[in-house]
Amino acid sequence: MKEFLKRAYTVMEIRTGFATGLPILSGGLYGAYLSGSLKFWTLVWFFLSGFSFNIVANVANEIRGYLKKEENESTMTGHKGSEGLVRGDATLKDALIVLVGFLALGGISGLMVVLLTKSLFILGMGLLGALAAVTYSLGPKPYIVYPIGEAISGLFVGGLSSFLSTAIQVGNLTPEIVLYACIPMMMTVFLMSTNNTSDYEKDKGARVTLPHVIGFRNSIKIIIPEAIFMVLCWGALFLIGGITWWMFISGLIIFGEFGYRRWYKDYYKIKEVYPAMGKEWGPRPLLLIYSFHAILSVEFLLGLIMQ
């Protein structure tokens, strides 16, 4: 079992599992802050479900890369928690066991959320999320190979997961819920966009992602209007009273520090793709996601306690 777990780790890409888990966590705590009470177990089960389905998508991508021979030593990031199939650290059987296992874990956790909320809508969204996780890279028409991959990932991984988590806690739909969900949605688009842009040359002939449609430099520049949209949503949340002034300020600091200074300030200067680009720049939007949701989760929890 110990050896299997070591092999399994190499195909799971656990670090990006939090790209879904953390928006669910911060969204749920934001909903608790808005409503004045926390549905603790609903949030726990939802976090586990979202995290698991993200791992399913990651493993599906590993399997596709291996079967389609899309990865080699020159394109790998070197992260030990991914690309295990290509390196030979794990077998296809290992990957399939991990995929089915996390699909089951995500499904069971999702059913617990449905039982607690008694909502068929949540059940439908959960089934749709599971389908999106599998068809991300597998099946006859995986959407990762098309220019819509960034938008669909942003919608499901960041936007919808955060939206549902917040709405479950609040109990009804409000403008605050929609505005807040737009932020993790855009952060996920940043993550996908950076990865696709870094893989610009590698993906030629195998995938047609958005950078191939709009061009390499435009795929970098497009982040500017996307970031403006995200900041405007954050400002609108403050103006309608959805967040406090100190939450608003801390959010701007996070955007500036982890979004601009540590990432886009130098990322924007890249003129053409180079082999180590994915390794150097891929983790930076993920760091933005981690920082924003972790810090805001603490602040929402403090706001709830202070009420």
Side-chain angles (χ1 to χ4, degrees):
M1 176 59 72
K2 183 178 180 180
E3 290 303 315
F4 168 74
L5 292 177
K6 287 182 179 179
R7 297 195 305 271
Y9 172 74
T10 68
V11 299
M12 290 165 58
E13 189 74 43
I14 288 179
R15 61 179 180 174
T16 63
F18 292 101
T20 301
L22 287 177
I24 289 173
L25 177 63
S26 73
L29 290 174
Y30 180 52
Y33 166 72
L34 291 176
S35 65
S37 63
L38 173 63
K39 299 171 184 175
F40 177 78
W41 285 111
T42 303
L43 180 56
V44 170
W45 286 115
F46 200 177
F47 175 91
L48 186 57
S49 181
F51 181 89
S52 298
F53 284 147
N54 192 291
I55 299 298
V56 169
N58 292 341
V59 178
N61 194 36
E62 292 275 328
I63 293 173
R64 175 185 172 80
Y66 173 73
L67 295 177
K68 297 290 185 178
K69 295 181 172 57
E70 294 178 348
E71 300 284 354
N72 55 57
E73 291 184 1
S74 66
T75 62
M76 291 190 292
T77 63
H79 178 57
K80 293 183 179 180
S82 63
E83 300 158 342
L85 279 175
V86 179
R87 288 195 310 269
D89 295 340
T91 66
L92 182 58
K93 180 180 178 181
D94 293 329
L96 290 172
I97 291 173
V98 173
L99 186 144
V100 173
F102 273 96
L103 190 60
L105 180 59
I108 292 170
S109 303
L111 286 175
M112 292 301 299
V113 176
V114 172
L115 290 174
L116 290 170
T117 59
K118 298 179 175 62
S119 170
L120 292 178
F121 176 74
I122 296 298
L123 175 61
M125 289 297 98
L127 292 173
L128 193 60
L131 180 63
V134 175
T135 58
Y136 172 67
S137 295
L138 298 179
K141 297 289 183 180
Y143 59 87
I144 194 175
V145 304
Y146 299 107
I148 59 173
E150 294 173 9
I152 295 179
S153 295
L155 177 63
F156 279 96
V157 175
L160 192 59
S161 61
S162 175
F163 174 85
L164 292 175
S165 186
T166 310
I168 287 172
Q169 296 289 331
V170 174
N172 60 285
L173 182 62
T174 68
E176 291 88 345
I177 295 173
V178 177
L179 285 170
Y180 187 77
C182 288
I183 296 166
M185 177 186 72
M186 196 55 65
M187 287 184 177
T188 303
V189 171
F190 290 160
L191 178 62
M192 294 298 299
S193 176
T194 304
N195 289 332
N196 286 339
T197 302
S198 299
D199 293 339
Y200 184 82
E201 292 295 338
K202 185 194 78 173
D203 287 343
K204 280 185 176 179
R207 305 178 182 185
V208 181
T209 59
L210 186 61
H212 295 133
V213 176
I214 65 176
F216 178 81
R217 280 293 295 164
N218 287 333
S219 70
I220 291 179
K221 293 178 182 179
I222 198 173
I223 296 179
I224 295 177
E226 292 171 346
I228 292 173
F229 171 74
M230 179 182 68
V231 173
L232 288 176
C233 289
W234 191 240
L237 267 177
F238 173 66
L239 291 176
I240 66 175
I243 54 175
T244 64
W245 66 267
W246 46 275
M247 292 174 183
F248 174 68
I249 295 298
S250 67
L252 291 182
I253 292 173
I254 295 168
F255 296 154
E257 173 64 17
F258 297 99
Y260 177 73
R261 195 184 75 81
R262 298 198 185 187
W263 172 32
Y264 200 69
K265 176 173 171 288
D266 294 317
Y267 180 71
Y268 181 80
K269 300 174 184 177
I270 301 174
K271 300 299 182 182
E272 57 185 23
V273 68
Y274 57 95
M277 185 176 171
K279 182 186 298 185
E280 293 179 8
W281 298 98
R284 304 203 185 193
L286 189 59
L287 180 60
L288 173 62
I289 292 173
Y290 278 18
S291 305
F292 178 82
H293 291 295
I295 293 172
L296 266 297
S297 290
V298 173
E299 293 187 357
F300 292 147
L301 185 59
L302 288 175
L304 174 63
I305 294 172
M306 293 165 59
Q307 289 180 359

